[in-house]
Amino acid sequence: MQTQHTVGLPRGRSLTASLALPIGTAPDGGWPGVLVVHEAPSLTRPILDVADVFAARGWAAVVPDLLSSGGAKLGCLVRNLREVQSGKAGAVTEDLRAVLTWLGGRADVDGARTASIGFCMGGAFALLLGSLGPDGLRAVSDNYGFVPPETTDLTRCPPVVGSFGADDTLIKNGAAQLTARLEKAGVVHDVVDYPGAKHSFLTGDAKLFGVVTFPGTAYVADAAEPAWERILGFLDEHVRA
């Protein structure tokens, strides 16, 4: 069962976030924490389900709604996309850092053992958050996210696991581009391009404000199942170990 929370942000703002916790009492030192960042169109049920997957594996998972931080949703979406396309960590990335700090500050969470996982736009934001080198962030999972330009400094980013679809018409050659960026930055990485996979192949169709399905997006089991195994194993290795 997920609970809803209001998380304070810089400049006196706030956003809403869903929190999923493992069943039972937290271990000494707290559970590892993971920040789940949703796709560009909106926060959808499949992304919230990701938090439940992590909670079932012993993680505390928080999913912020990036369209809830003030103003019209369309305006928030445009702001979010402009930041990821610029490749520069800005106000939205700082909001995510504030959510990560909030999660790590809980008594039942180990703030020194956290990760960030993102999808589509969220994957790009996970990388931008990693570029800031926040305390306690030990790994990043970028899933078919916009690949940052060469001007983005990723040298402080923790280890990255990336998953892309070879048939993705929105993010083309993402795996090769991200691998090149991470190798140049000297970041430990595991990036795979899955044949037959389209955009959003890990979670299902992407929907604008939960209503309109984006074309070229679909869940692909043959790619999603091995990808999830890689992602979860990578995060366990770099965060929980």
Side-chain angles (χ1 to χ4, degrees), residues 142 144-145 147 162-166 171-182 189-194:
D142 171 19
Y144 35 85
V147 178
S163 300
F164 293 82
I171 307 295
K172 297 181 179 180
N173 301 315
Q177 293 180 48
L178 180 59
T179 296
R181 301 288 192 278
L182 296 174
H189 60 279
D190 173 7
V191 181
V192 173
D193 204 18
Y194 287 93

Side-chain angles (χ1 to χ4, degrees), residues 1-47:
M1 178 179 179
Q2 297 187 15
T3 56
Q4 299 298 304
H5 299 264
T6 299
V7 179
L9 303 174
R11 298 174 295 281
R13 298 173 301 112
S14 64
L15 56 66
T16 59
S18 297
L19 179 68
L21 298 177
I23 296 173
T25 303
D28 292 342
W31 291 298
V34 59
L35 170 67
V36 182
V37 192
H38 65 76
E39 296 174 313
S42 60
L43 174 55
T44 59
R45 182 69 252 175
I47 299 299

Side-chain angles (χ1 to χ4, degrees), residues 94-137:
E94 289 295 340
D95 290 349
L96 290 172
R97 178 154 65 172
V99 176
L100 186 68
T101 299
W102 174 86
L103 178 66
R106 289 179 56 93
D108 53 3
V109 175
D110 184 351
R113 294 189 299 146
T114 64
S116 179
I117 182 171
F119 305 85
C120 179
M121 175 192 75
F125 272 127
L127 283 173
L128 289 178
L129 178 63
S131 75
L132 300 179
D135 292 342
L137 187 66

Side-chain angles (χ1 to χ4, degrees), residues 131-156:
S131 75
L132 300 179
D135 292 342
L137 187 66
R138 293 191 179 185
V140 167
S141 176
D142 171 19
N143 302 291
Y144 35 85
F146 301 107
V147 178
E150 293 185 1
T151 53
T152 303
D153 183 5
L154 294 174
T155 56
R156 290 192 293 171

Side-chain angles (χ1 to χ4, degrees), residues 215-238:
T217 63
Y219 175 77
V220 181
D222 288 346
E225 291 172 5
W228 272 118
E229 184 175 350
R230 283 180 47 252
I231 293 164
L232 295 170
F234 188 94
L235 298 183
D236 281 345
E237 176 186 355
H238 291 280

